[in-house]
């Protein structure tokens, strides 16, 4: 597991997701969207918790929505998004 994945899973725990839902997320289920694990309120709480853990602005996550789930499709998609943003920040 990567540091990003650990931060994502910890953020899911921070908002009160139980072990079963966290395990479903870990196994690749959609985080948000049709059939996703998070409802809209939980998504907002998750974005705040993840922002706190990663140091990224909440708006960076929210800007990723492009008429759908954005980077919140799966943990791996979200992890790749965070890693790309972090490496971009270092390169700038």
């Amino acid at each position: 597991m990567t540091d990003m994945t650990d931060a994502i899973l910890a953020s899911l725990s921070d908002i009160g997701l139980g072990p079963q839902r966290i395990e479903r997320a870990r196994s690749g289920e959609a985080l948000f969207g049709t059939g996703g694990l998070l409802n809209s309120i939980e998504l907002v709480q998750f974005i705040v918790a993840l922002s706190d853990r990663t140091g990224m602005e909440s708006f960076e996550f929210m800007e990723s929505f492009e008429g759908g789930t954005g980077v919140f499709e799966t943990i791996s998609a979200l992890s790749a998004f965070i890693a790309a943003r972090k490496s971009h920040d270092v390169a700038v």
Side-chain angles (χ1 to χ4, degrees):
M1 224 180 284
T2 67
D3 290 340
M4 295 305 147
T5 301
D6 290 342
I8 293 166
L9 292 171
S11 297
L12 289 171
S13 180
D14 289 346
I15 66 165
L17 244 59
Q20 292 175 337
R21 286 169 72 193
I22 290 174
E23 188 54 40
R24 288 171 51 198
R26 184 190 322 261
S27 68
E29 281 196 41
L31 296 174
F32 187 70
T34 305
L37 296 169
L38 302 173
N39 63 38
S40 57
I41 299 297
E42 290 170 330
L43 179 64
V44 171
Q45 294 171 329
F46 176 59
I47 289 171
V48 171
L50 192 57
S51 179
D52 288 345
R53 284 192 177 271
T54 62
M56 290 177 59
E57 292 288 328
S58 298
F59 292 108
E60 289 184 73
F61 294 110
M62 292 185 291
E63 289 172 348
S64 77
F65 284 94
E66 296 174 4
T69 59
V71 298
F72 297 97
E73 187 173 351
T74 62
I75 285 180
S76 61
L78 183 55
S79 182
F81 173 79
I82 295 168
R85 288 292 178 125
K86 292 272 187 196
S87 67
H88 178 266
D89 290 346
V90 171
V92 171

